[in-house]
Amino acid sequence: MLAGGLLAGFSVLSLLTYGYLAWDAAGDPESAGATAKLEEGPEAEPAPTPPHLIFILADDQGFRDVGYHGSEIRTPTLDKLAAEGVKLENYYVQPMCTPSRSQFITGRYQIHTGLQHSVIRPTQPNCLPLDNVTLPQKLKEAGYSTHMVGKWHLGFYRKECMPTQRGFDTFFGSLLGSGDYYTHYKCDSPRMCGYDLYENDNAAWDHDNGMYSTQMYTQRVQQILASHNPRKPIFLYIAYQAVHSPLQAPGKYYERYRSINNINRRRYAAMLACLDEAINNVTLALKRYGYYNNSIIIYSSDNGGQPTAGGNNWPLRGSKGTYWEGGIRAVGFVHSPLLKNKGCVCKELIHITDWFPTLIMLAEGQIDEDTELDGYDVWETISEGRRSPRMDILHNIDPIYTKAKNGSWAAGFGLWNTAIQSAIRVNHWKLLTGNPGYSDWVPPQSFSNAGPSRWHNERVSWTAGKTVWLFNITADPYERVDLSSKYPEVVKQLLRRLSQFNKTAVPVRYPPKDPRSNPNFNGGVWGPWFKENEKKKKPSKNKADTKQNKNKNKKKPDRRKGHSLRCFAGG
């Protein structure tokens, strides 16, 4: 894999040179003088710089919810960038926030980081394991300036878990999985509410001016680009909060979608329209400040859409939180002047873990030989149309998810306990076991005033006791024809592959709630609370001392800027 990655790096060398010179001619105010100097002789020619890497991650965008997939929601920026780049139409992520983000930033499956169950909750003493090397750390080693704007959701219970401690030079955004788009408050439960907007390692009270997060994050990206030297490589990870619930958007974006009767769908459409405009503004900033010609823009959703929150994955089956295609097949594309083939559709198998080695190789960085990655360098696949080095994807093995009642070792031919939730893709075949989650198809017309109506959904009543499904995803991407009984030998082969993967799994990290996480103990702010050297205090000898110590620990929430700690809708 490394050898292929090095070849990929060399293959774009001439393109990188072209991109740099193009910026000199078009973006530099002193371009004429610079060009003259280049013509004086080889000694005056600057060395080509690695490309600027811009990774944009949308939150909960449904597979159908982009113009070029037939949506009624207009996304002119995404459509144009994708049409001029490479559309990824066999591209997979994970079904929820934390899993996708952890795999992007480490290049490793969940079973290899211990994050194979659910997401990291705000009150859990948990984060991306500190012994995992991250993408921004490797890019910093390669000489990149690294910046993150947006949603982290990889844990924060101790300072070492924060984005600035995991490789980012700067961080501006939220630590949790969701929150109010204007006030940036989040309630995890009653009396467990706090502020969640950070500037590096501190609460960003100075930015608490009621600005909509999509626009606020875009403004920060523009500031970063304006202040950075485009002759030096930059990695920008822009993880927008949109279009995750709560469903909120500035009023002007609702105007064009008055015809959508369903209120959740209408709000969702307004949020997506604002996001599309934001990405246009980011692209314009890349051009204005001299980055564009030597940049690679990658766009991805972190998981499928949630129909009850306005998202739509039609014609795919299932939704966010499931291992049906609607939960894990994502909107994705690459846009760059450095692509050899543009205006193409890539149908080769690509997974979110692949960005880790791909971007490091593009950055001319190094991946240690003992680094155990699950991702592949897929730049030549995307840029040149070559075959993908990836032949399979472990979608996940979750040993603590609710077991399927009728699952058994017998149903798994003695190779696998089919009560366990798992999913795997090998070539054309996809196997699911256990409880894969909500399995309906939700057509666009199902969005009535009352929300996605089950009367309009396509339901399938499975035979009682079913815990194994097999599909040929190439021939049947909508997962309508279960082939498990027709091809038992294929089922056995995939069960064996699951068993092999499971032997490499590390224990699940999903600790119970820690009461010390309450923002009321931290000035009304969600943030690190765990201290390594913290010792349990010995109980006081008399009741008066005990009462005094309790009173000391009762800190009032920070109510600066007139905020109240009421609960806001979130997901």
Side-chain angles (χ1 to χ4, degrees):
M1 184 187 76
L2 291 178
L6 291 172
L7 288 174
F10 287 125
S11 69
V12 297
L13 185 58
S14 60
L15 287 173
L16 298 182
T17 305
Y18 170 79
Y20 182 86
L21 294 178
W23 173 82
D24 249 358
D28 189 349
E30 301 177 355
S31 57
T35 304
K37 289 180 181 178
L38 286 173
E39 293 173 352
E40 289 176 1
E43 66 278 3
E45 184 174 338
T49 61
H52 305 297
L53 304 173
I54 318 298
F55 192 92
I56 302 173
L57 190 66
D59 201 339
D60 285 10
Q61 183 179 4
F63 181 80
R64 185 177 176 271
D65 296 330
V66 65
Y68 64 84
H69 280 173
S71 178
E72 79 278 23
I73 303 173
R74 293 187 289 277
T75 55
T77 301
L78 298 181
D79 295 350
K80 185 175 189 295
L81 292 176
E84 295 173 354
V86 177
K87 298 174 183 175
L88 308 179
E89 295 298 343
N90 199 6
Y91 172 57
Y92 288 86
V93 294
Q94 297 307 112
M96 288 186 289
C97 305
T98 297
S100 284
R101 293 160 206 273
S102 69
Q103 297 199 33
F104 162 66
I105 209 168
T106 66
R108 307 183 75 200
Y109 290 144
Q110 294 163 257
I111 65 165
H112 296 144
T113 60
L115 300 176
Q116 49 274 62
H117 180 67
S118 190
V119 298
I120 295 177
R121 306 292 176 183
T123 57
Q124 286 181 312
N126 194 15
C127 74
L128 180 71
L130 300 177
D131 58 354
N132 280 258
V133 177
T134 68
L135 176 60
Q137 287 172 339
K138 298 303 294 183
L139 292 177
K140 281 189 72 171
E141 290 178 5
Y144 274 69
S145 175
T146 59
H147 304 271
M148 180 181 174
V149 177
K151 171 178 165 179
W152 176 238
H153 206 184
L154 288 174
F156 59 89
Y157 79 104
R158 50 192 290 181
K159 291 181 179 179
E160 293 85 353
C161 300
M162 297 286 282
T164 54
Q165 304 301 312
R166 306 310 302 268
F168 288 104
D169 293 326
T170 68
F171 168 66
F172 181 71
S174 64
L175 298 176
L176 278 64
S178 66
D180 191 280
Y181 280 71
Y182 292 96
T183 68
H184 318 299
Y185 268 81
K186 167 69 176 180
C187 286
D188 187 65
S189 62
R191 295 181 296 279
M192 186 73 80
C193 303
Y195 185 67
D196 182 30
L197 181 63
Y198 268 75
E199 174 95 52
N200 297 322
D201 297 330
N202 300 301
W205 293 109
D206 292 341
H207 296 276
D208 182 21
N209 53 15
M211 190 174 187
Y212 187 67
S213 73
T214 301
Q215 297 168 329
M216 179 177 63
Y217 291 156
T218 302
Q219 187 178 86
R220 173 51 62 97
V221 171
Q222 292 169 325
Q223 292 169 356
I224 292 171
L225 292 173
S227 61
H228 184 76
N229 181 356
R231 294 179 182 272
K232 296 181 179 179
I234 189 172
F235 169 54
L236 260 177
Y237 173 31
I238 312 169
Y240 282 106
Q241 180 181 356
V243 286
H244 195 292
S245 61
L247 302 178
Q248 300 170 298
K252 70 175 185 177
Y253 297 99
Y254 288 90
E255 295 296 324
R256 68 188 75 169
Y257 297 110
R258 287 179 176 177
S259 61
I260 299 178
N261 291 326
N262 178 268
I263 186 61
N264 284 349
R265 182 67 173 171
R266 193 188 318 147
R267 289 171 176 165
Y268 178 96
M271 296 168 74
L272 187 54
C274 182
L275 177 63
D276 186 80
E277 181 182 283
I279 293 166
N280 180 57
N281 289 333
V282 169
T283 307
L284 290 175
L286 289 169
K287 293 179 178 180
R288 180 183 307 120
Y289 298 116
Y291 298 87
Y292 177 77
N293 288 333
N294 190 33
S295 68
I296 296 172
I297 303 170
I298 300 168
Y299 182 87
S300 171
S301 180
D302 66 340
N303 46 249
Q306 179 60 270
T308 57
N312 191 229
N313 304 305
W314 179 263
L316 303 181
R317 183 180 187 178
S319 66
K320 170 185 176 176
T322 77
Y323 291 96
W324 302 108
E325 292 292 284
I328 56 177
R329 183 178 281 205
V331 174
F333 62 80
V334 177
H335 177 95
S336 173
L338 307 179
L339 289 164
K340 286 190 174 181
N341 297 335
K342 302 182 183 70
C344 303
V345 174
C346 175
K347 295 185 179 181
E348 292 293 308
L349 195 60
I350 295 175
H351 185 248
I352 195 166
T353 53
D354 297 333
W355 299 123
F356 183 97
T358 300
L359 298 187
I360 292 173
M361 290 296 101
L362 284 168
E364 301 175 13
Q366 299 292 324
I367 298 177
D368 299 333
E369 291 184 2
D370 58 349
T371 301
E372 297 180 353
L373 293 180
D374 296 306
Y376 296 84
D377 179 2
V378 292
W379 180 249
E380 290 182 348
T381 301
I382 296 169
S383 179
E384 302 175 28
R386 299 191 183 187
R387 297 300 301 270
S388 173
R390 177 176 288 282
M391 303 301 293
D392 58 22
I393 297 173
L394 176 66
H395 293 305
N396 197 25
I397 299 170
D398 187 343
I400 66 175
Y401 189 81
T402 304
K403 303 294 189 295
K405 293 181 180 179
N406 298 294
S408 66
W409 284 95
F413 302 99
L415 299 168
W416 186 256
N417 181 359
T418 63
I420 296 174
Q421 185 192 62
S422 67
I424 189 171
R425 169 82 177 268
V426 178
N427 294 318
H428 303 299
W429 298 104
K430 177 182 177 182
L431 182 82
L432 303 98
T433 72
N435 179 4
Y438 176 85
S439 61
D440 289 2
W441 293 270
V442 182
Q445 60 270 27
S446 70
F447 289 91
S448 65
N449 285 325
S453 170
R454 288 186 179 275
W455 293 104
H456 295 285
N457 295 358
E458 297 188 51
R459 310 297 304 282
V460 174
S461 298
W462 293 110
T463 304
K466 186 166 186 59
T467 56
V468 177
W469 295 263
L470 178 71
F471 300 96
N472 183 325
I473 292 298
T474 303
D476 178 26
Y478 314 138
E479 298 171 297
R480 293 183 176 272
V481 183
D482 173 31
L483 300 172
S484 59
S485 60
K486 187 175 182 180
Y487 296 105
E489 291 305 315
V490 175
V491 171
K492 290 178 184 179
Q493 290 176 19
L494 269 63
L495 290 174
R496 290 190 186 96
R497 190 76 179 105
L498 272 176
S499 180
Q500 292 170 353
F501 271 120
N502 199 44
K503 291 176 182 177
T504 69
V506 300
V508 178
R509 299 167 60 99
Y510 200 74
K513 174 179 177 179
D514 187 338
R516 294 174 296 176
S517 63
N518 195 324
N520 292 332
F521 302 145
N522 191 34
V525 179
W526 288 103
W529 71 85
F530 182 85
K531 295 180 181 178
E532 189 68 41
N533 58 356
E534 193 174 61
K535 296 180 180 179
K536 292 183 178 180
K537 295 182 180 179
K538 294 181 180 180
S540 300
K541 293 182 180 180
N542 57 67
K543 294 182 179 179
D545 289 343
T546 302
K547 185 175 182 181
Q548 186 177 2
N549 288 335
K550 285 184 177 179
N551 289 334
K552 287 182 179 179
N553 289 331
K554 289 184 178 179
K555 296 181 180 178
K556 292 183 179 180
D558 193 320
R559 295 184 181 271
R560 281 177 281 181
K561 303 281 184 180
H563 286 300
S564 63
L565 294 183
R566 68 184 190 276
C567 289
F568 295 96

